[in-house]
């Protein structure tokens, strides 16, 4: 997992860190709450109108205008580039309402692949596949794409959301097995003051925050249709489309997967959130030692600290343990300590009573080469 890049791809805090901006949010809060209550009432009417009217250009226009009242402003560039004959749109994933936004511009279906089908699935605008899974699900989508007269599919190969500012998650290859020709769709989302989403947030909570802020601007850009070459594998084709979208959005194309995000979120939420910005390699650090209640957890951290100590024997064990509680990763801790500009006192060895020696930063590490950074796995 690319630990240095993954931190910038997700927002774990909804409110801003800047004191002045936070003050403005607090002053805006009474207005935001009134706006949210008003938009809940308007949103109910938007839902009823979208259910009552048949799918048409007029319905999309009416719902799009009403969505602007809800604070969801949709823009698109080069609408003539949209290929009306394509059967599959491939889009990056930023919010839990991306499929609704694209559906305001063109008719398409997004299948519900993980959560159970039912009223909520239908009300959120997803296409229900029924009680099928695995290979049957894939076969159902292939038949859908090959059937004449069906609406295009809109899929998100990242399979999870990012904040849209730093990079794209690795594209899964299975959506590209449905058809050989796809149209990429680049989506950028901007919102004042607050983060677009947090990893552990429920979709209904995200909707209420959308109603709270003054506006959320969705910018959709249509890219030319791309076909898979005969010699290309599905993953190579997926990587190519990922690169095209990353270039269009001005972000990087990463190999971080949905599973990597889940692991990172679990680790991030497991560590106590009370941190300080006292610098250690320009990374947040905890205020003192964060004590784990579990004896097994303490033993695991202790074993990891000994591994770091073997590589960097001159660093005090307490400093190593403090960083491990934050990172939960041996390699990341070694990197943090090697990159640190903070000077640590040397740990006393044996029974020496000599005067204090030089700081750790002034020592030479010719005998301890820097370790190779690799995928972080929690020690068991």
């Amino acid at each position: 997992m690319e630990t240095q890049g993954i931190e910038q791809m997700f927002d774990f805090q909804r409110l801003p860190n800047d004191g002045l901006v936070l003050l403005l949010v607090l002053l805006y809060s009474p207005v935001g709450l009134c706006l949210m209550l008003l938009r809940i009432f308007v949103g109910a009417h938007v839902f009823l109108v979208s259910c009552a009217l048949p799918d048409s250009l007029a319905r999309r226009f009416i719902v799009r205008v009403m969505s602007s009242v809800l604070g969801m402003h949709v823009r698109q560039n080069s609408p003539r580039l949209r290929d009306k004959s394509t059967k599959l749109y491939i889009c990056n994933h930023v919010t839990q309402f991306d499929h609704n936004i694209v559906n305001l511009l063109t008719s398409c279906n997004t299948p519900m692949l993980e959560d159970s089908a039912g009223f909520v699935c239908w009300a959120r605008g997803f296409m229900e596949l029924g009680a099928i899974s695995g290979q049957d699900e894939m076969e159902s989508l292939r038949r859908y794409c090959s059937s004449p007269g069906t609406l295009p599919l809109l899929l998100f190969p990242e399979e999870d959301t990012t904040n849209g500012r730093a990079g794209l998650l690795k594209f899964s290859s299975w959506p590209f097995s449905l058809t050989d020709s796809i149209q990429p769709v680049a989506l950028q989302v901007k919102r004042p003051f607050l983060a677009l989403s947090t990893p552990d947030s429920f979709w209904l909570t995200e909707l209420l925050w959308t109603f709270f802020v003054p506006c959320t601007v969705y910018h959709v850009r249509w890219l030319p249709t791309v076909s898979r070459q005969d010699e290309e594998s599905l993953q190579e084709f997926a990587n190519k489309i990922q690169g095209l979208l990353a270039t269009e959005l001005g972000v990087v194309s990463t190999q971080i997967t949905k599973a990597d995000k889940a692991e990172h979120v679990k680790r991030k939420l497991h560590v106590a959130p009370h941190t300080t910005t006292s610098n250690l390699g320009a990374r947040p650090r905890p205020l003192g030692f964060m004590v784990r209640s579990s004896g097994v957890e303490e033993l695991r951290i202790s074993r990891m600290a000994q591994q770091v100590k073997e590589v960097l024997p001159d660093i005090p064990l307490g400093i190593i343990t403090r960083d491990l509680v934050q990172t939960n990763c041996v390699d990341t801790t070694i990197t943090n300590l090697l990159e640190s500009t903070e000077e640590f006192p040397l740990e006393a060895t044996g029974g020496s009573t000599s005067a204090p020696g030089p700081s750790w930063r002034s020592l030479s590490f010719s005998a301890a080469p820097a370790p190779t950074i690799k995928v972080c796995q929690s020690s068991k």
Side-chain angles (χ1 to χ4, degrees), residues 253-317:
S253 179
T254 76
Q255 294 299 303
I256 300 171
T257 65
K258 175 185 176 182
D260 291 330
K261 175 187 175 181
E263 179 188 348
H264 180 71
V265 170
K266 182 179 179 180
R267 180 183 303 157
K268 195 80 173 179
L269 297 179
H270 186 62
V271 176
H274 192 46
T275 59
T276 182
T277 56
S278 61
N279 203 340
L280 180 62
R283 295 178 178 87
R285 288 294 174 259
L287 288 173
F289 296 101
M290 293 182 288
V291 181
R292 306 294 183 103
S293 60
S294 170
V296 176
E297 188 70 14
E298 292 176 357
L299 181 61
R300 186 179 65 84
I301 292 293
S302 177
R303 286 201 301 264
M304 294 168 66
Q306 290 300 327
Q307 295 177 31
V308 178
K309 187 72 172 175
E310 292 175 1
V311 179
L312 303 174
D314 297 302
I315 303 181
L317 195 60

Side-chain angles (χ1 to χ4, degrees), residues 162-362:
T162 68
N163 58 25
R165 300 192 303 270
L168 301 180
L169 294 176
K170 181 179 180 180
F171 277 20
S172 178
S173 62
W174 71 262
F176 301 90
S177 66
L178 303 179
T179 178
D180 289 335
S181 180
I182 64 99
Q183 181 162 25
V185 182
L187 177 65
Q188 281 186 319
V189 188
K190 295 183 179 181
R191 171 184 294 172
F193 304 134
L194 305 181
L196 291 170
S197 63
T198 55
D200 59 336
S201 183
F202 187 53
W203 70 268
L204 192 56
T205 305
E206 297 295 340
L207 183 62
L208 293 178
W209 278 111
T210 301
F211 290 168
F212 175 84
V213 297
C215 65
T216 304
V217 180
Y218 294 81
H219 191 184
V220 178
R221 298 203 288 269
W222 305 94
L223 276 65
T225 302
V226 182
S227 298
R228 183 163 71 97
Q229 304 299 318
D230 294 335
E231 67 277 5
E232 277 185 320
S233 67
L234 291 177
Q235 190 58 60
E236 288 173 343
F237 188 42
N239 293 341
K240 181 171 73 173
I241 301 302
Q242 181 182 1
L244 290 175
L245 285 174
T247 301
E248 180 69 22
L249 295 168
V251 298
V252 297
S253 179
T254 76
Q255 294 299 303
I256 300 171
T257 65
K258 175 185 176 182
D260 291 330
K261 175 187 175 181
E263 179 188 348
H264 180 71
V265 170
K266 182 179 179 180
R267 180 183 303 157
K268 195 80 173 179
L269 297 179
H270 186 62
V271 176
H274 192 46
T275 59
T276 182
T277 56
S278 61
N279 203 340
L280 180 62
R283 295 178 178 87
R285 288 294 174 259
L287 288 173
F289 296 101
M290 293 182 288
V291 181
R292 306 294 183 103
S293 60
S294 170
V296 176
E297 188 70 14
E298 292 176 357
L299 181 61
R300 186 179 65 84
I301 292 293
S302 177
R303 286 201 301 264
M304 294 168 66
Q306 290 300 327
Q307 295 177 31
V308 178
K309 187 72 172 175
E310 292 175 1
V311 179
L312 303 174
D314 297 302
I315 303 181
L317 195 60
I319 293 175
I320 296 175
T321 303
R322 184 180 66 182
D323 196 81
L324 279 171
V325 170
Q326 172 85 12
T327 65
N328 200 30
C329 176
V330 171
D331 292 320
T332 304
T333 291
I334 292 174
T335 303
N336 288 352
L337 296 173
L338 287 175
E339 294 178 353
S340 172
T341 58
E342 184 176 339
E343 293 195 354
F344 305 117
L346 287 179
E347 191 170 47
T349 58
S352 174
T353 58
S354 59
S359 67
W360 167 74
R361 178 56 57 193
S362 65

